[in-house]
Amino acid sequence: MKWPADYHMHTPLCRHATGEPADYARRALAVGLTEIGFSDHSPMPRDDFDDWRMRDSQLDEYVAKVRLAQQKFPQLTIRLALEVDYLPGHEDWIRELAARHPWDYFIGSVHYVSDSWDIDNPAKLSEWKKRDAFAVWSTYFERLTMAAESKLFEIIGHADLPKKFGIRPAQDCTPLYEKFLNAAMNNNCAIELNTAGLRKDCKEIYPSPEILRLAFQKGVPITFGSDAHAASEVGMNFAEAIQLARRVGYKECCRFVQRKREFVKF
Ligand SMILES: [Zn+2]
Ligand SMILES: [Zn+2]
């Protein structure tokens, strides 16, 4: 069986991942992948925004690291991408980043529900106790919908990230999911099946089977990503992700070359 591409992995430049791109590429070949894409955390307009991403001055170094892996492993297709944080008001900055290198795709991710709270940050877990879970999910999905509508991204990352620590609202979130998925569909955004969720407290792929089922019904395309922050995580739990995608009805996923979409069977 041919594995789908692993389109979500990081480099040490983000300050919370280990191993060089060449190590990830070697691991990808070892587990039988034929295509991967680096999508490290993009710089913010201000380097002191937080401490878990590359600095603006390191963007060229990042590209050079990925190019080096491409040269070392010509038998593996390696895409050049970024995981870009979507915050309202950052659109011009994201367009500026897009113009700086010939990217294959941008993953648009929402980690911040305000300028100061990245909801997946374990150091800020206590914030969850101060808030109503449904209010957090509502703001998060509102921003995710805006990210899809911005047309700045080929892929939306880990669509239900707020479940990471296992905190879930009692309310029905289906209307939030519907609104986001309609925006994704209408703006040619794919969503990723991100296996990192299996390694977190939620113990579930992002997004949930419920969201993925809705996505399939609406015709939203998919990609696969391990969200590897270490070489050993490349392609991790892809068998489970494929099983989930197939169970829901998917037979094809996307690949991206210079921000153009192609469909491939998996
Ligand atoms: Zn990360
Ligand atoms: Zn992320």
Side-chain angles (χ1 to χ4, degrees), residues 132-139 141 160 168-181 208-211 214:
D132 170 57
F134 187 67
V136 178
W137 285 58
S138 298
T139 306
F141 275 97
D160 58 353
R168 296 163 189 269
Q171 291 89 335
D172 176 19
C173 292
T174 312
L176 306 178
Y177 306 154
E178 293 261 8
K179 210 168 159 221
F180 158 62
L181 292 168
S208 64
E210 181 199 353
I211 296 177
L214 285 170

Side-chain angles (χ1 to χ4, degrees), residues 123-210:
K124 296 179 190 168
L125 190 51
S126 61
E127 283 294 316
W128 277 100
K129 296 196 181 73
K130 298 182 208 156
R131 324 266 179 135
D132 170 57
F134 187 67
V136 178
W137 285 58
S138 298
T139 306
Y140 172 86
F141 275 97
E142 216 167 275
R143 288 186 170 210
L144 208 65
T145 303
M146 289 170 76
E149 286 169 345
S150 74
K151 296 188 192 292
L152 294 167
F153 310 112
E154 281 70 32
I155 304 165
I156 296 294
H158 42 60
D160 58 353
L161 182 68
K163 75 181 175 190
K164 178 178 175 180
F165 299 115
I167 302 161
R168 296 163 189 269
Q171 291 89 335
D172 176 19
C173 292
T174 312
L176 306 178
Y177 306 154
E178 293 261 8
K179 210 168 159 221
F180 158 62
L181 292 168
N182 288 338
M185 186 57 204
N186 293 333
N187 293 282
N188 292 319
C189 264
I191 58 169
E192 65 167 4
L193 272 82
N194 181 316
T195 61
L198 291 168
R199 313 194 289 271
K200 311 296 182 195
D201 296 338
C202 60
K203 296 272 183 278
E204 186 181 83
I205 287 170
Y206 305 111
S208 64
E210 181 199 353

Side-chain angles (χ1 to χ4, degrees), residues 21-242:
D23 303 322
Y24 288 54
R26 197 173 296 115
R27 176 70 182 170
L29 287 170
V31 300
L33 293 170
T34 56
E35 181 171 345
I36 61 171
F38 286 91
S39 50
D40 207 2
H41 297 287
S42 69
M44 284 283 188
R46 292 170 48 136
D47 283 339
D48 62 359
F49 189 89
D50 59 28
D51 60 359
W52 50 269
R53 63 189 63 254
M54 70 182 85
R55 296 168 178 93
D56 186 27
S57 62
Q58 293 175 310
L59 193 68
D60 292 353
E61 187 187 343
Y62 168 63
V63 173
K65 279 177 184 286
V66 176
R67 296 287 184 230
L68 186 66
Q70 287 172 332
Q71 284 159 19
K72 277 191 179 168
F73 297 94
Q75 66 276 49
L76 180 68
T77 300
I78 303 179
R79 302 289 172 206
L80 175 68
L82 283 173
E83 179 181 14
V84 182
D85 270 81
Y86 177 78
L87 284 98
H90 281 219
E91 291 83 355
D92 285 344
W93 168 250
I94 298 165
R95 268 185 277 274
E96 208 180 293
L97 284 174
R100 279 162 65 178
H101 290 280
W103 310 105
D104 288 309
Y105 57 91
F106 271 9
I107 298 178
S109 291
V110 171
H111 301 101
Y112 283 92
V113 294
S114 72
D115 278 1
S116 58
W117 188 28
D118 35 350
I119 54 163
D120 62 325
N121 191 336
K124 296 179 190 168
L125 190 51
S126 61
E127 283 294 316
W128 277 100
K129 296 196 181 73
K130 298 182 208 156
R131 324 266 179 135
D132 170 57
F134 187 67
V136 178
W137 285 58
S138 298
T139 306
Y140 172 86
F141 275 97
E142 216 167 275
R143 288 186 170 210
L144 208 65
T145 303
M146 289 170 76
E149 286 169 345
S150 74
K151 296 188 192 292
L152 294 167
F153 310 112
E154 281 70 32
I155 304 165
I156 296 294
H158 42 60
D160 58 353
L161 182 68
K163 75 181 175 190
K164 178 178 175 180
F165 299 115
I167 302 161
R168 296 163 189 269
Q171 291 89 335
D172 176 19
C173 292
T174 312
L176 306 178
Y177 306 154
E178 293 261 8
K179 210 168 159 221
F180 158 62
L181 292 168
N182 288 338
M185 186 57 204
N186 293 333
N187 293 282
N188 292 319
C189 264
I191 58 169
E192 65 167 4
L193 272 82
N194 181 316
T195 61
L198 291 168
R199 313 194 289 271
K200 311 296 182 195
D201 296 338
C202 60
K203 296 272 183 278
E204 186 181 83
I205 287 170
Y206 305 111
S208 64
E210 181 199 353
I211 296 177
L212 199 64
R213 211 162 277 128
L214 285 170
F216 179 73
Q217 283 165 14
K218 292 176 190 293
V220 179
I222 54 168
T223 59
F224 292 84
S226 63
D227 211 341
H229 286 71
S232 60
E233 293 171 347
V234 172
M236 206 175 231
N237 297 116
F238 263 37
E240 284 95 319
I242 290 165

